Every structure is written in structure tokens, then in C-alpha cells.
Amino acid sequence: MINAYTVIGQPIAHSLSPMIHSLFGELTQRRITYTRTEGTDASFEGIVKQWHDRGGKGCNVTAPFKEQAVQVCSHLARSADRAGSVNTIHMRRDGELVGHSTDGAGMMHDIERNIRFPVRGRRVLILGAGGAARGVVGPLLDARPSALHIANRTVSRADAILQYFADDPAAGVPMSASSYEALSEQAPFDLVINATSLSLAGSLPTLPDGLMTPQALAYDMMYSREATVFMRWAHDQGATVSDGFGMLVEQAAEAFLVWEGVRPKTRMAWPRLLELLNAH
Ligand code: NDP
């Protein structure tokens, strides 16, 4: 039997997910198909239900439907409940549509296992307080940093994330929020994660010198062939830098695990994935 998957988003033409999952299918010797589906706010729910009715085994959900996807699911895994969004829907044989959020686990796998930067005991800063930021807070707290600070242009959105996690079982970690302007009072940080959408526009918030410790890791959730503005700034500040390509690959591996019960050995796929990204 061939298991059918799709990724739903808007726009979706440039999604790398079909390429990544096809490679995972080869690596794990699973017979799968994986397509792209363009959605709209009005059509999203119908697309998911039709995919299920036609025997689809699951779908990925990307911008701008990750929050809307929560309503479509009949059950949420803890990852999705904490993130307040769904990027992976598992269409089970018993008819349940189970929502998962694999972005946070994917980012943590990339940071802690691929880059080998343990988060435990480190001071962590997240820039941005949108869906991507909220999605990684739970898995970051589970890794037990010594502090977690969220800076955002709209400080009330960062405060809302703090409030949401105030009762979380991992909430022993001191958390705080501020504007970018107030960041120098909180510095320095060992890990700075850029979860703003500014890299897409080739921009970054105004950040103070001395924001990072000398051994810091600066991680941009965005990925592209060239280093982002944030990565170039952080490199000039002396930090180790990474883009979010590893997060993309690892969140896909977590989704594949949900659907197929096996986690692809992503390190084996890395050279081919980079080749395909560069040819894209
Ligand atoms: P959202 O639209 O939910 O949030 C955008 C964030 O950027 C907010 O914090 C917003 O601040 C901030 N922002 C936008 N414009 C400006 C500006 N002009 N000045 C200052 N701040 C600004 O986006 P997401 O959270 O969904 O995505 C954020 C990034 O993460 C994207 O680049 C996306 O590609 C990436 N991502 C990568 C993944 C991967 O697998 N590698 C997975 C998921 C996301 P404010 O609240 O003040 O508006």
C-alpha cells in the first residue's frame, strides 16, 4: 500500500517538503506519495476533510493555516496544544484527525544534536512572538535553560506567551519579556533565536552590541542559500551562526515519525538535501 501525504499552504509552489519526504521514503524503504496543495482560508478545512475521505494518511500544514488547523483536528497531541498550532495532521484508521506540532522538536533536534549546542543551563533569547516563537517555547523550556527571554516589537504578544506558559509543567524556568530597545538590560545571552519574519525582507530588529556571550549560538529560523542579515550581524558579533534549514528537515523527520512510525536518519540525507536546496 502507498501512503498519501500532502502539504497545504498559501503560497505553496516553493515548498521543499515533497522533496524531503520523498527522500525519507527512499531512506526508510516506505512507499509514500507527497504532493503540494494550495489552500485559501475558505477552502482549507474542506481540503483536509477531502484528503481524509479519499484515504490520505496525513498532511502537513504551513503558513498561514497552522492556527486554523487546530479547529479541524478531532484531537490534539500535547505538542500542538502547547504550541497553539498544528503543522502535522495524522489521519488515523479509527477516523480521528490528530494534530501535532513538530516545529519545536525539530528545532531542538537541530540545535542540540546536529549543532551540538546543549541548551540546559544557558540563557536563551527569542526574537519575535508570532506563531513560530510560541511553537518552540515548550520544547525549549523542556531543555531547562537557566532563563528564557522573549523580545518583540509588540511587547503584549510576548507577554501573552509568558502568561500562556505560566502554568506549564516546565515553568520552573525564569521567563521574561521586553521590547528590543530594553534588551541591553537583559544581555548577554548564550543562544539567540530569530523567530521574526524580518529575515524574509532582508532586515532585522535593532539589536545592541554585547547581546551575546563569546561562545553564543545565533539561530535564524529562516533558511536561504545565502546567510541572512541576522546571521551576518551575529557573525560580526563573534557568534556561531546557523539558519533554519536543519529545523525544516528535522520537523519533517518528526512528522514522518508520527505517520510512519520510523524516524529517518536525517544526517544521511543531508548532502542530498543541500544539493536539492541549491538546485531549487
Ligand atoms: P508571524 O507572522 O506569526 O510573526 C512574525 C514576527 O515577526 C512577529 O514577532 C512580528 O512582530 C515580527 N515582525 C514582523 N515584521 C516586523 C517589523 N517590521 N519589525 C519588527 N518585528 C516584526 O510569523 P511566524 O512566527 O509564523 O514565522 C516567523 C519566521 O519563522 C518566518 O521567517 C518563518 O519562515 C520562520 N519559520 C521557519 C520554520 C522552519 O522550519 N525553519 C518553521 C516555522 C517558521 P509583531 O508581533 O510586533 O508584529
Side-chain angles (χ1 to χ4, degrees):
M1 204 175 96
I2 300 179
N3 290 331
Y5 303 102
T6 193
V7 55
I8 309 167
Q10 163 70 261
I12 201 63
H14 296 292
S15 170
L16 297 172
S17 294
M19 172 190 105
I20 295 171
H21 281 279
S22 300
L23 194 52
F24 286 171
E26 280 174 39
L27 283 174
T28 57
Q29 299 185 321
R30 301 290 163 127
R31 296 179 71 205
I32 68 154
T33 62
Y34 192 109
T35 57
R36 299 181 183 92
T37 305
E38 181 104 14
T40 63
D41 284 348
S43 67
F44 174 73
E45 193 169 335
I47 291 170
V48 174
K49 289 194 168 142
Q50 266 183 24
W51 192 259
H52 184 216
D53 291 345
R54 290 182 189 164
K57 183 103 190 274
C59 61
N60 279 138
V61 179
T62 187
F65 305 123
K66 288 184 185 181
E67 276 89 21
Q68 201 180 332
V70 170
Q71 312 307 324
V72 181
C73 295
S74 55
H75 182 74
L76 292 184
R78 180 168 178 255
S79 61
D81 192 32
R82 269 173 131 190
S85 65
V86 163
N87 77 337
T88 301
I89 302 179
H90 185 197
M91 298 170 172
R92 292 198 327 208
R93 283 209 193 115
D94 59 9
E96 297 274 346
L97 297 185
V98 184
H100 298 253
S101 175
T102 66
D103 286 334
M107 187 192 77
M108 292 310 293
H109 190 104
D110 194 37
I111 290 177
E112 293 210 296
R113 303 187 60 173
N114 298 345
I115 301 171
R116 298 192 185 172
F117 186 92
V119 169
R120 191 182 184 90
R122 309 287 183 115
R123 285 178 56 75
V124 178
L125 167 64
I126 301 178
L127 305 172
R134 177 170 161 183
V136 300
V137 167
L140 267 170
L141 290 176
D142 289 342
R144 294 275 151 203
S146 61
L148 178 62
H149 188 81
I150 305 175
N152 197 40
R153 174 179 60 178
T154 313
V155 180
S156 59
R157 287 186 86 190
D159 282 332
I161 297 181
L162 298 198
Q163 266 177 21
Y164 183 81
F165 281 92
D167 298 328
D168 194 271
V173 176
M175 289 178 76
S176 50
S178 74
S179 62
Y180 297 118
E181 290 74 21
L183 266 179
S184 45
E185 294 158 28
Q186 309 287 334
F189 294 94
D190 306 299
L191 170 61
V192 180
I193 297 164
N194 183 15
T196 70
S197 50
L198 279 172
S199 290
L200 287 170
S203 180
L204 87 164
T206 305
L207 300 171
D209 288 339
L211 182 66
M212 293 175 284
T213 55
Q215 296 79 24
L217 171 66
Y219 191 91
D220 199 333
M221 282 197 189
M222 193 183 128
Y223 51 89
S224 66
R225 269 179 246 172
E226 287 90 36
T228 65
V229 182
F230 170 70
M231 288 163 71
R232 292 203 299 271
W233 175 84
H235 181 264
D236 289 346
Q237 297 280 319
T240 300
V241 298
S242 172
D243 72 3
F245 185 65
M247 174 177 176
L248 175 76
V249 173
E250 300 301 344
Q251 64 75 28
E254 295 289 331
F256 199 91
L257 173 64
V258 167
W259 295 326
E260 294 286 325
V262 56
R263 197 181 197 286
K265 292 196 167 54
T266 47
R267 269 320 204 184
M268 283 171 67
W270 215 257
R272 279 216 19 226
L273 288 169
L274 282 175
E275 245 174 58
L276 290 165
L277 174 71
N278 289 327
H280 193 66

